[in-house]
Amino acid sequence: MIKKTDLVIIGGGIFGCAIAYYYSKNNPDKKVVLLERNELNNAATSRAAALMTMVRSKRSYIPLTMETFKVAKEMEDELGETLDFKVVGMMHVAASAPKVKDLEKLMEIAKEYHQEAYYISKEEAKKKAPWLEVDEAIKIGFVPNEAYCDPYMLGTFFARCARKHGAVIKQGVEVLGLLTEADTVIGVKTGEGEIHANKVVDAAGIWAPILAREIGAGIPMAPVRSQYWITERGENFPADSPMVLLPDAQAYARPEGGSLLFGIREGKSLVASPKDVPRDISDFVFSPDEGMNDLLENGERLARFFPGFYDIGIKYYVAGFSGYTPDSQLVVGEVPGTRGFFVASGCCGAGISVAGGVGLGIAEMAAGRANPFDFSEFDMSRFGKIDPFAEEWLNKCAAARSNKVSG
């Protein structure tokens, strides 16, 4: 075990792997160690629906996602392999006056960031997505360069390229606590000994608040269940059909190998305290009935746009925890009140798409350089002093997902 390094990263999800990649690549004279107690990318990353949405209402996310697309190509060139991003486009279906107004704003945002976007007819929409019923649609927008990906593969590419640039990645090593000196974090305690470091990044996902609590910092996020279903294969689900956002139904869908992958928000999202989530996420029972009760309660909204909903068979159910905040913004940056300690958490269901920007931004900050992105909206002190383990706080974070209308 290395005893001294420049940077220690706690957590081997996509955020941790991305930070390791950028730091090792941009600082060849420095050492970085990433510690993961289980396997890389085995928790939230591998369970994500992985919609790589660039054009979205949150402007702060757009440059981060654009960086992910950019670095994905660079890593493909470096490894001589493909990530096989599925660039099928995103269809936005607005079926009410408020959602039409939101769509019009979104199309203006696309222009602002020089992203191709245009309106399509109901006939065009039906041709692109045969499963979709668009009779209620008032306006339909299409953003052709949006994509989805295999999230585990993207996380693995970050890790592989990081290793090529000299990063040390240790799996099966648990971080038990932080080493501190006055108001400075100087390393970590692990099951295999202490590692001293100039900087430490807490990228432990939904467990991030547990370590930060040691130094009196409350990371403002909570583990909230994300879940989606994958149908049986059908001729109405061509593999090249676009992703679809249905804000009036609080639902999204995308193709999945001849099937349809879809998610729909339940009225009250399942939330847990970070300290109550088992260290191996596969030991947690997200839904005893694989979400069927949630589908029965909320499926009527989706059936307005997907008439085959009640007839098609469900083949797979996938659930995991995402770190949500009350304002559905990331928690990324330096931890206030201490030195040498950073956090990369609170993905709010967008962790895969923003991973490139988060990785580059935190890596540059940890190296003592200016962050190329504006992280001001992600500052962890924006809610004031909070208790991330209190029931009232947990429910606030769960409500953010229940009210979400985007993918």
Side-chain angles (χ1 to χ4, degrees), residues 94 96-106:
S96 65
K99 297 303 183 283
V100 167
K101 186 174 286 189
D102 291 343
L103 176 56
E104 290 170 348
K105 289 179 182 176
L106 195 71

Side-chain angles (χ1 to χ4, degrees), residues 311-327:
D311 301 320
I312 194 72
I314 302 296
K315 192 166 186 179
Y316 299 108
Y317 169 73
V318 181
F321 278 122
S322 294
Y324 269 85
T325 60
D327 59 0

